[in-house]
Amino acid sequence: MLELREIGVAYGVATALRGVSLRIGAGELVCVVGPNGAGKTTLVNAIGGLIRIVAGGIELDGADIGALPAHEICARGIAMVPEGRRLWTNMTVRENLELGGYRSGARAARKEWMERVVAMFPLLGARLDAPAGTLSGGQQQMVAIGRALMAQPRLLLLDEPSLGLAPAIVLDMFNVIRDIHASGVAVLLVEQNVARALEIASRAYILDEGQIVAEGTPAELRNESHIARAYLGL
Amino acid sequence: MPSPAIIGQSLISGTFIGALYALLGLGLSLSWGMLRQINLAHFALAFLGAYLTYQLSGVGGMDPLLTLLLIAPAFFLLGVGMHWVFVRFAVGPLGSLLATFGLTVIIESVIQWIWTADFLKLESPYGSASLRVGIFYLPVAGLITLAAAAALCFGTWAVLRYTDLGRAMRAAAEDGPMAAAFGVNVNALSRLLSGFASACAGVAGVALALSYTLAPSQIYAWIGVIFAVVMIGGLGKPLGPLIAGLVIGVSEAVTMALTAPAWAPVVSFSLLILVLLARARNI
């Protein structure tokens, strides 16, 4: 479904990603782990079109999307839950969710998806008219995920969805991700919480200093002792 | 102490000048708050609109209100073009202030070249007519200005609040890249907003021509008070200029009636300082 071929990203003269190749099959849940500053967020932003790649190519179902602006990438069914949530904090929860379904392909079924999102996160139901910035961190993360679901994506990019959440909520979050994946949406999960991410992923990539240093199924990666020690904290 | 009739009449004239403040402030507030462009040329554009109204109506014989049909779309295109240039050359907020100051000087020169530096006054049926209500006179031009200001401010407010287009604009103003990630064509919406802000300057220009004597140097006379209106009303908030404009217009007029005209600017800037202090305390 999504294929990254040797992509490179640079901020000025600093290289953030170099020769990164990655593949996500339709309906697959793939995770990317790696230390802070490895380029994980850059990778998500590059796929979403928020930063330009300077080398390589990105293909979605065989079509080159590497040079498309972000709003056209969204139109093709890729939605994201960005690092730090990045809700529109001055706008209400309802407005955030409705804007999630702004793209023309998602607008028709917006009402129905709104009900689904509220059913998935009942806590949000009572806060729909509150400014998103007044919610707790966990609730904001629910809005961020809900907003991405409202776009009815075929591929969901999740950048550190568990960051800064209380442990009990983290568990909920991973269950939600598993449910989303089970409904047929392909997921790219970028996580610091390696143990949990590997539990639900079918394949994983390890990113370090802007390069992929290992890839495989969770079992394969765990069995390679130097990788397990260096990156997985096992 | 002036008579109640004089106080009443100054309340009325304050309301009408406040409406013109709102018309002039709306476009400035939107482009400043939502596009991060401080468009100093907004005032020069309004005067260009006023002179065009004078030309089309006073010289050409068109109904001054019908000139809106030409001026608003033309100014819309001008605003779109301006935004294109700003994006093309990656002009930031401070850069936009400098660039539009330059544009102001250019527009002023063009106006002076075409219409000379003499005072001009559009003679129109709206400018001289007024309705008599009891002991008070309501100038028709003022009523038109008030109606236009209220319609534009409330209309913009409703669009930003209740339509997908308006919500997308607000989202783009708060976090543009995130709006883009959810399918909003941020550049296209920004051009639209810039065009609308500029069209507002055109409408304000028509209102100016109905009530005021025009001279190129007058462009600069409005900048101080309109900046106060925009800051008090809150950047990017469409109802802000209407409320702040009416408050300042009325308090200036009452001050003038009670003391002397020279005290009027003191009122607007004292209000500005008070509002900024109160806001700083709330943060």
Side-chain angles (χ1 to χ4, degrees):
Chain A
M1 178 185 200
L2 184 81
E3 175 131 24
L4 273 58
R5 279 179 289 98
E6 306 264 310
I7 70 160
V9 173
Y11 296 109
V13 291
T15 304
L17 293 177
R18 191 168 351 126
V20 170
S21 295
L22 179 150
R23 182 174 55 78
I24 303 170
E28 200 180 11
L29 198 165
V30 171
C31 88
V32 174
V33 298
N36 265 335
K40 302 191 297 293
T41 294
T42 303
L43 177 67
V44 168
N45 287 342
I47 297 172
L50 295 186
I51 35 176
R52 294 272 135 250
I53 55 172
V54 293
I58 304 179
E59 278 184 9
L60 183 69
D61 297 330
D64 182 16
I65 61 165
L68 291 183
H71 67 272
E72 286 179 28
I73 291 177
C74 167
R76 289 165 183 244
I78 298 183
M80 67 161 77
V81 176
E83 186 186 29
R85 304 179 277 269
R86 286 175 75 172
L87 298 180
W88 297 294
T89 53
N90 298 328
M91 303 176 74
T92 66
V93 170
R94 189 192 305 278
E95 287 173 329
N96 270 272
L97 293 175
E98 281 181 348
L99 275 168
Y102 178 85
R103 75 179 182 98
S104 55
R107 249 184 246 195
R110 201 150 53 165
K111 217 173 177 160
E112 182 194 328
W113 274 88
M114 182 74 122
E115 284 164 14
R116 275 196 220 180
V117 167
V118 172
M120 189 180 267
F121 304 112
L123 276 174
L124 295 185
R127 304 296 311 270
L128 283 177
D129 294 311
T134 63
L135 269 59
S136 71
Q139 290 171 336
Q140 289 197 18
Q141 192 61 267
M142 293 174 195
V143 178
I145 292 179
R147 175 176 70 175
L149 290 178
M150 292 291 294
Q152 300 158 49
R154 295 186 296 143
L155 169 63
L156 179 62
L157 312 173
L158 290 153
D159 192 356
E160 311 256 11
S162 73
L163 194 69
L165 299 185
I169 301 175
V170 169
L171 201 60
D172 289 346
M173 203 55 75
F174 277 97
N175 285 333
V176 163
I177 294 167
R178 208 193 319 239
D179 291 346
I180 293 168
H181 173 233
S183 72
V185 178
V187 176
L188 177 72
L189 172 63
V190 166
E191 256 300 335
Q192 297 254 2
N193 194 331
V194 177
R196 293 233 179 274
L198 291 182
E199 269 173 36
I200 60 174
S202 59
R203 282 186 310 114
Y205 292 83
I206 296 174
L207 190 67
D208 194 11
E209 293 183 355
Q211 290 179 293
I212 300 284
V213 293
E215 63 174 286
T217 64
E220 285 166 0
L221 292 175
R222 283 196 196 97
N223 286 337
E224 293 202 39
S225 59
H226 67 285
I227 290 173
R229 255 199 318 275
Y231 296 107
L232 308 182
L234 300 175
Chain B
M1 187 74 186
S3 72
I6 289 180
I7 299 281
Q9 194 64 46
S10 63
L11 282 176
I12 290 167
S13 62
T15 304
F16 292 143
I17 191 167
L20 188 56
Y21 290 166
L23 264 187
L24 277 163
L26 177 63
L28 190 67
S29 178
L30 290 176
S31 56
W32 193 344
M34 301 191 73
L35 300 172
R36 313 282 186 285
Q37 291 167 358
I38 309 172
N39 185 6
L40 209 56
H42 200 70
F43 304 94
L45 284 176
F47 270 82
L48 184 61
Y51 274 98
L52 287 172
T53 309
Y54 172 83
Q55 188 66 33
L56 292 167
S57 179
V59 181
M62 244 176 117
D63 186 292
L65 293 185
L66 284 182
T67 64
L68 272 177
L69 296 179
L70 292 175
I71 289 174
F75 275 57
F76 178 87
L77 292 179
L78 209 61
V80 170
M82 242 165 79
H83 189 265
W84 183 86
V85 172
F86 280 0
V87 170
R88 170 69 185 72
F89 295 100
V91 179
L94 187 62
S96 70
L97 186 66
L98 295 173
T100 54
F101 178 71
L103 187 58
T104 302
V105 175
I106 293 172
I107 295 174
E108 185 194 4
S109 310
V110 169
I111 289 175
Q112 196 156 325
W113 179 52
I114 299 177
W115 289 286
T116 76
D118 294 341
F119 285 92
L120 296 177
K121 177 80 178 80
L122 172 67
E123 299 303 334
S124 80
Y126 306 107
S128 49
S130 51
L131 301 177
R132 196 182 161 157
V133 179
I135 54 168
F136 300 117
Y137 286 95
L138 305 178
V140 171
L143 288 170
I144 291 171
T145 305
L146 183 62
L152 278 178
C153 290
F154 275 103
T156 308
W157 174 79
V159 166
L160 287 180
R161 200 177 158 94
Y162 294 114
T163 69
D164 270 324
L165 179 81
R167 288 173 179 166
M169 281 178 176
R170 281 160 61 211
E174 186 175 338
D175 187 339
M178 249 329 100
F182 282 93
V184 176
N185 186 343
V186 176
N187 262 334
L189 289 197
S190 301
R191 279 195 294 268
L192 191 65
L193 195 61
S194 178
F196 177 72
S198 171
C200 284
V203 177
V206 175
L208 258 174
L210 287 181
S211 303
Y212 289 84
T213 303
L214 305 175
S217 59
Q218 290 294 307
I219 291 171
Y220 302 98
W222 295 80
I223 294 179
V225 67
I226 300 299
F227 265 66
V229 165
V230 167
M231 298 306 293
I232 291 173
L235 297 179
K237 298 208 175 94
L239 292 184
L242 186 63
I243 296 163
L246 292 178
V247 167
I248 289 186
V250 167
S251 42
E252 277 183 350
V254 173
T255 310
M256 281 196 261
L258 293 178
T259 61
W263 287 96
V266 177
V267 174
S268 41
F269 288 102
S270 306
L271 276 173
L272 175 61
I273 291 167
L274 286 177
V275 167
L276 291 181
L277 282 175
R279 238 180 244 157
R281 206 164 294 152
N282 285 338
I283 288 167

